[in-house]
Amino acid sequence: MAGNRTLTIIKPDAFGAGKAGKIIAHLEQQGFKVLAARVMRLTDRQAGEFYAVHRERPFYRSLVTFMTSGACMPMLLEKRDAVAALRQAIGATDPAEAEAGTVRKLFAESKERNAIHASDSDDNGVREAAFFFPDTDVLAAQG
Ligand code: ATP
Ligand code: MG
């Protein structure tokens, strides 16, 4: 059964441009509840590990540089069928291809500087939540 939690990151382009409040309001309006949040600047090592699945892709180095370029805002979100719901809400990777009303259509600059991350599966959501919120007791009730 699909879980009710997912991990998102407001990326440095959007956070640095002062769009975090609008993005959170947009997500809350769609029924997402913020369970945990933090503001941090990722180290090269953290960003590299977080996106390790893309290690062999041509954009990997550039992605890590972008993700470490300024503060970002990881958040643990709750909603029914959260992973699918958030992927729907953020839209396609490239804002030029994202549907109207999605976070990326509204707030992203480009395919790389695309405002927001969302977990792509329940398993990755649990792993990514633990990556940013290892001490959060809400995680104990995961599942
Ligand atoms: P995310 O994992 O951040 O939620 P996604 O699942 O939509 O995004 P992925 O294919 O997992 O997309 O790529 C991870 C991130 O790498 C993208 O969000 C984007 O910032 C960057 N990226 C992906 N493809 C490209 C590309 N062709 N050129 C530049 N950057 C890219
Ligand atoms: Mg992805």
Side-chain angles (χ1 to χ4, degrees):
M1 194 180 88
N4 297 329
R5 290 175 181 177
T6 190
L7 190 281
T8 190
I9 306 174
I10 298 175
K11 295 185 180 182
D13 59 320
F15 190 83
K19 298 174 181 172
K22 283 189 179 139
I23 291 173
I24 293 168
H26 182 85
L27 293 174
E28 286 180 333
Q29 225 154 31
Q30 294 181 27
F32 291 94
K33 183 177 170 191
V34 179
L35 295 184
R38 59 189 292 200
V39 173
M40 64 189 293
R41 185 167 183 169
L42 296 179
T43 64
D44 192 78
R45 190 185 192 136
Q46 284 173 318
E49 189 184 331
F50 186 79
Y51 278 119
V53 64
H54 295 310
R55 213 181 299 115
E56 308 302 332
R57 307 285 284 277
F59 58 82
Y60 176 68
R61 242 359 283 175
S62 173
L63 174 61
V64 170
T65 299
F66 161 53
M67 288 301 292
T68 57
S69 64
C72 67
M73 191 170 184
M75 294 188 287
L76 180 64
L77 299 181
E78 183 174 76
K79 186 182 175 175
R80 193 159 68 86
D81 204 359
V83 167
L86 187 63
R87 292 300 304 195
Q88 174 99 27
I90 70 171
T93 306
D94 185 343
E97 292 166 14
E99 278 183 41
T102 58
V103 173
R104 283 168 169 166
K105 181 56 110 188
L106 289 168
F107 301 108
E109 294 176 18
S110 68
K111 188 168 188 178
E112 178 172 82
R113 297 170 62 84
N114 61 359
I116 193 163
H117 162 82
S119 306
D120 60 9
S121 67
D122 283 339
D123 283 353
N124 282 336
V126 170
R127 187 179 60 77
E128 293 174 0
F131 186 91
F132 288 112
F133 303 103
D135 303 324
T136 307
D137 56 5
V138 291
L139 294 175
Q142 183 79 45

